[in-house]
Amino acid sequence: MTNPAEPGTSEDLEQRYLELSAEYEQFRYHLPDALLELELPSARVVSMNRLAEVLLGYTMEDVLAGLYGYQLVDEESWQRALRAGEEDFSGRVRQGLPYERRPGQQVHRFTAIRKDGSRFPIEAQGSYIVDARGVPTGVRFLFRDISARLAAERERARLAAIVDSAGDAIVSRDLDGRILSWNRGAEALYGWTAAEMVGRTADVLAPPGQEDEVRELTERVKQGDHVKVTTRRQARDGRLIDVELSLFPVLDESGQVMAIGGIARGITERLR
């Protein structure tokens, strides 16, 4: 009859290694980012986690059948990846020395290609898998689909262009009254440039004796009110301007007021 392995024996170490390997595989498989590993120098895919399978449309059966890194990105992306690798290998590794990681995490933007041929933008971070001598034998990529983020950025840029080119003065402020944005319509109406006004409070626009009105309107909007008034504001050159002013709360994802928006239209000539 054999005795159970004593603590610290090779059997215990092997069992612990297997347990840790299983834990690592579970961790890797369920990472919130997609992960895949390539062997070097062939660039053959040796593993990918569940999210990588979902994003790329490949399965482990495809990996086992033979799948290569250059199949997963477009040509321009692959050439940039190769150039980055050449930079990494051109020094120490070429001399037979251990790989020395460069400071900071390098983030690359690539165009990925799914199994069905469709393409999508990704951001990827790579790290080398090294052997006992410190020589890279593979590369591990963490990546994420940034399609939604790029679409949101394009939409924000489109809206910003519309706001900036609008004829009306469009101004946003934080909850303390400091100006966050100031479009060209505001520059034309009030005479101050955006560079001069961003970061200042809107009190500078109040005619002498009307500072309290600005603060009162601000407090109403902070409580969620939409305010429309006809009032006066002071331009940079000291002129008093009659304006129609609409103020409204800017809400965050949870419905809380995060900023104050305002649209002003000069009506001095109309009143005259």
Side-chain angles (χ1 to χ4, degrees):
M1 181 176 180
T2 57
N3 292 323
E6 295 295 328
T9 64
S10 60
E11 290 84 353
D12 278 337
L13 294 176
E14 182 178 359
Q15 179 61 32
R16 184 56 180 155
Y17 170 78
L18 293 174
E19 291 172 356
L20 290 174
S21 295
E23 290 175 9
Y24 172 69
E25 286 302 319
Q26 286 294 313
F27 167 76
R28 183 173 66 170
Y29 196 72
H30 296 290
L31 274 173
D33 284 330
L35 178 146
L36 65 82
E37 295 178 353
L38 309 178
E39 67 178 10
L40 295 176
S42 69
R44 187 175 188 273
V45 178
V46 293
S47 71
M48 62 173 63
N49 71 350
R50 177 58 182 163
L51 186 52
E53 293 177 0
V54 171
L55 289 179
L56 296 170
Y58 290 97
T59 66
M60 284 308 297
E61 287 73 19
D62 296 312
V63 172
L64 294 174
L67 182 64
Y68 292 85
Y70 52 78
Q71 297 175 254
L72 305 179
V73 293
D74 68 357
E75 179 63 20
E76 195 273 335
S77 297
W78 182 247
Q79 291 301 321
R80 280 193 287 117
L82 291 178
R83 287 194 296 272
E86 283 297 321
E87 291 177 9
D88 291 335
F89 293 163
S90 61
R92 297 174 61 88
V93 175
R94 293 284 188 241
Q95 300 169 25
L97 299 173
Y99 165 68
E100 188 175 81
R101 182 173 176 177
R102 287 182 292 177
Q105 179 63 63
Q106 302 296 313
V107 179
H108 302 277
R109 184 171 291 184
F110 298 131
T111 298
I113 303 177
R114 298 185 181 91
K115 185 177 181 179
D116 63 10
S118 59
R119 303 184 177 208
F120 64 103
I122 62 171
E123 278 187 347
Q125 297 171 305
S127 59
Y128 290 104
I129 304 167
V130 298
D131 62 17
R133 298 171 300 158
V135 176
T137 59
V139 61
R140 181 181 294 116
F141 284 104
L142 284 171
F143 65 95
R144 61 185 58 183
D145 182 352
I146 58 172
S147 301
R149 195 182 82 198
L150 293 183
E153 289 174 358
R154 286 192 294 268
E155 180 62 13
R156 283 195 295 270
R158 186 183 71 85
L159 293 175
I162 292 172
V163 168
D164 195 48
S165 61
D168 291 337
I170 303 177
V171 177
S172 65
R173 293 177 285 152
D174 66 17
L175 298 184
D176 294 323
R178 288 187 295 269
I179 292 170
L180 300 172
S181 64
W182 182 269
N183 76 337
R184 281 183 284 181
E187 292 182 349
L189 181 62
Y190 297 120
W192 280 283
T193 66
E196 293 171 316
M197 290 302 292
V198 171
R200 300 178 66 178
T201 65
D203 291 351
V204 69
L205 301 176
Q210 288 187 234
E211 294 85 0
D212 287 344
E213 182 208 43
V214 174
R215 288 189 282 271
E216 289 169 6
L217 294 176
T218 298
E219 287 302 316
R220 287 178 59 186
V221 178
K222 285 167 65 175
Q223 299 304 314
D225 289 348
H226 289 67
V227 179
K228 186 171 184 179
V229 296
T230 299
T231 185
R232 280 189 166 184
R233 291 292 179 259
Q234 183 169 269
R236 182 178 185 177
D237 60 9
R239 289 178 300 113
L240 295 182
I241 307 168
D242 295 291
V243 297
E244 281 184 347
L245 180 62
S246 296
L247 299 174
F248 52 90
V250 180
L251 308 180
D252 63 16
E253 295 84 353
S254 63
Q256 300 298 309
V257 179
M258 59 178 288
I260 297 167
I263 302 174
R265 176 175 298 173
I267 57 173
T268 299
E269 291 302 318
R270 193 175 78 192
L271 291 178
R272 186 175 299 163

